[in-house]
Amino acid sequence: MPPPLTAERLAEAMEVSQRSLYRDIDSLRAAGAQIDGERGYGYRLVEDIALPPQTFTREEMEVIALGLSEVKAMRDPAMSVAADAVLSKVAATLPSGRDQQLLHAISRVYRPDRHIQSPAFLDVVREACWHEYALDIGYADAAGTISARTIYPLAIMYTDHTLTALAWCCLRNDYRMFRLDRLREARRGTQSFRPRRAAMLRDYIAKLDASAAREPAQI
């Protein structure tokens, strides 16, 4: 039997923080994976990770179908392919007959008026978010004036008409939103902000929530 792998080695191999690794191990255990070990000792997969048949209720399956349908309506090619893959994988874990209820769920999203075009640098921004490295960008404002920025991309926000990067702007030394359709260039920078992305995103969301709470109610 192979020796257990330490959390440090596993996190390095998966390119995630140890905190994220511990959270993922807890999720896998909750889903039925038999993983031996503990923090400070190491981990070993005891048996195959294949999950037992899932027992979603009809309403829970509708939620899965509706959520994946919303993802496909975002017009993000990579996420659309991933949504189809998730649907197939979840259906494969369902008991016979229940898979058809998922694949033919009554809930769907239909947005014929959504005109989001996949931005040229969407994949570049997504990779930078995942791997937590800075991007050097050329960004055009509403008037078309282009400025050079270095940003720490934290998340991609999908709205009805555009995709926006929530980021830390090193030029302004503050959180900013950048419309992806206004990026004129985007390349990997020399800085890394690992493992601060999750904490920074929580801080930014908290600031946005606080700002929204201060706005006067519309009558």
Side-chain angles (χ1 to χ4, degrees):
M1 180 178 294
L5 294 175
T6 65
E8 181 179 0
R9 287 183 59 191
L10 287 169
E12 181 179 356
M14 299 301 295
E15 297 185 342
V16 298
S17 67
Q18 289 190 42
R19 178 180 297 180
S20 295
L21 178 75
Y22 291 140
R23 184 167 57 248
D24 291 343
I25 288 175
D26 289 341
S27 297
L28 288 171
R29 282 172 166 169
Q34 298 299 307
I35 301 175
D36 188 24
E38 59 185 0
R39 300 185 186 189
Y41 169 70
Y43 297 93
R44 181 191 296 116
L45 183 64
V46 176
E47 59 184 46
D48 188 76
I49 199 171
L51 300 180
Q54 300 299 299
T55 55
F56 295 113
T57 66
R58 182 175 298 170
E59 289 76 15
E60 288 170 342
M61 289 192 296
E62 289 293 327
V63 168
I64 294 171
L66 186 61
L68 294 175
S69 182
E70 176 66 30
V71 170
K72 291 178 66 66
M74 290 174 178
R75 307 289 176 85
D76 179 333
M79 293 297 99
S80 181
V81 171
D84 285 336
V86 169
L87 185 65
S88 297
K89 289 178 180 179
V90 172
T93 70
L94 295 172
S96 178
R98 302 289 281 179
D99 57 338
Q100 294 303 308
Q101 291 183 9
L102 175 65
L103 296 175
H104 301 288
I106 63 173
S107 301
R108 287 291 187 271
V109 172
Y110 179 59
R111 301 189 187 279
D113 58 340
R114 178 168 284 184
H115 300 296
I116 294 178
Q117 299 297 320
S118 182
F121 298 101
L122 176 58
D123 290 341
V124 176
V125 176
R126 179 178 288 124
E127 285 297 305
C129 289
W130 275 113
H131 297 291
E132 300 177 48
Y133 56 73
L135 286 177
D136 294 330
I137 66 171
Y139 188 73
D141 62 17
T145 303
I146 299 176
S147 61
R149 310 282 187 103
T150 296
I151 65 171
Y152 297 164
L154 307 175
I156 297 172
M157 181 172 66
Y158 295 77
T159 62
D160 285 341
H161 300 291
T162 188
L163 274 65
T164 303
L166 305 183
W168 176 266
C169 178
C170 295
L171 177 64
R172 303 301 183 190
N173 198 35
D174 200 357
Y175 294 109
R176 290 288 188 273
M177 296 183 182
F178 296 91
R179 285 180 47 164
L180 298 191
D181 60 335
R182 292 183 179 174
L183 291 181
R184 297 298 177 260
E185 63 176 321
R187 60 182 183 277
R188 180 169 181 165
T190 59
Q191 304 174 45
S192 171
F193 59 102
R194 177 175 290 180
R196 293 182 287 148
R197 188 187 71 85
M200 293 177 73
L201 181 58
R202 284 195 299 269
D203 184 48
Y204 191 7
I205 296 300
K207 289 180 181 294
L208 291 175
D209 289 343
S211 177
R214 289 193 300 267
E215 293 181 358
Q218 300 295 318
I219 300 176

